[in-house]
Amino acid sequence: MKVLVAGANGHTGRLLIKFLNEDGHEPYGMVRKEEQKQGIEELGGTPVLADLERDVGHAVKAMDAVIFAAGSGSSTGPEKTTDVDRDGAINLIKATENLGIKKFVMLSSIGAGRDVEKMAQDNERMKHYLQMKKEADEYLMSTELDYTIVRPGGLTHDPGTSKIKVGNKVEFANIPRADVAKTMIAAIQEPNAFHKAFEMVSGDMQIEEALKRL
């Protein structure tokens, strides 16, 4: 499958490109800067220059599936979180719909499907982040796309185990980025993961089996 990864230059995005290539797919990595293209090529992907805050139709065209793994990052303010994590995601969703592509996988966050006030408590930055993720998720769920929304716990750089725990709500814990990336890729081809949103942390069930039991 031809799969576009938005946020391909990020930690999880780079793993997605690498694993998609290893699995025999054709990964296309959306990047904003010319100097980021080489890194995508080295991972086995085809770089596509596009900005989530602008027209992304040319990047989405002819794809079989789209993965949103972009984020504003911890060093930016709330305005950029709004621009990327909510509005950028919605912009990409709209382009996917307009071009007749059906499969869309969203990287969200644990807590985005819950009471944001309760989850964030007095952390205003986290509250805003979760609210933007929640609004992007809700927009995706309102579409006709075969969406999957993945809401991981704390992301680590530990080696992946391919064993996870999933559910509508799970107790907060960490999970390697590698396992999140592999779950998002598996969700593209597992019909039982379509039209589903779930939280995930490290667990004891193989990824494919966990998705079949959603």
Side-chain angles (χ1 to χ4, degrees), residues 59-186:
V60 175
K61 190 175 182 181
M63 294 295 148
D64 297 308
V66 176
I67 295 178
F68 181 89
S72 55
S74 58
S75 61
T76 59
E79 297 84 4
K80 187 56 75 173
T81 301
T82 301
D83 291 344
V84 175
D85 294 84
R86 185 191 68 185
D87 296 348
I90 292 174
N91 186 34
L92 188 65
I93 293 164
K94 287 179 176 177
T96 303
E97 274 199 299
N98 290 340
L99 288 161
I101 298 152
K102 291 299 291 178
K103 186 59 193 172
F104 194 103
V105 181
M106 173 83 89
L107 177 58
S108 184
S109 171
I110 195 169
R114 307 195 205 182
D115 182 333
V116 169
E117 294 277 346
K118 190 180 292 184
M119 285 295 294
Q121 297 179 332
D122 296 326
N123 188 329
E124 289 299 319
R125 183 187 182 88
M126 179 57 68
K127 189 191 304 182
H128 181 71
Y129 171 77
L130 287 176
Q131 186 62 36
M132 294 303 98
K133 288 293 188 188
K134 185 185 187 84
E135 292 179 16
D137 291 356
E138 288 175 345
Y139 183 86
L140 179 56
M141 288 187 281
S142 75
T143 70
E144 297 297 316
L145 296 173
D146 290 330
Y147 67 83
T148 302
I149 299 171
V150 178
R151 295 168 170 160
L155 298 172
T156 74
H157 296 290
D158 296 334
T161 65
S162 294
K163 292 187 176 181
I164 61 175
K165 179 181 180 180
V166 301
N168 185 43
K169 292 181 181 179
V170 299
E171 187 174 345
F172 184 88
N174 291 334
I175 184 166
R177 290 177 183 274
D179 288 337
V180 176
K182 288 180 178 178
T183 301
M184 294 176 78
I185 294 168

Side-chain angles (χ1 to χ4, degrees), residues 5-11 13-14 17 28-52 70-72:
V5 178
N9 197 51
H11 293 300
R14 292 174 65 82
I17 297 293
Y28 290 76
M30 185 191 296
V31 292
R32 289 191 304 116
K33 300 175 182 176
E34 190 76 32
E35 57 266 28
Q36 295 170 335
K37 291 169 71 173
Q38 184 178 344
I40 301 303
E41 291 170 343
E42 288 171 353
L43 292 167
T46 301
V48 182
L49 276 178
D51 188 335
L52 282 167
S72 55

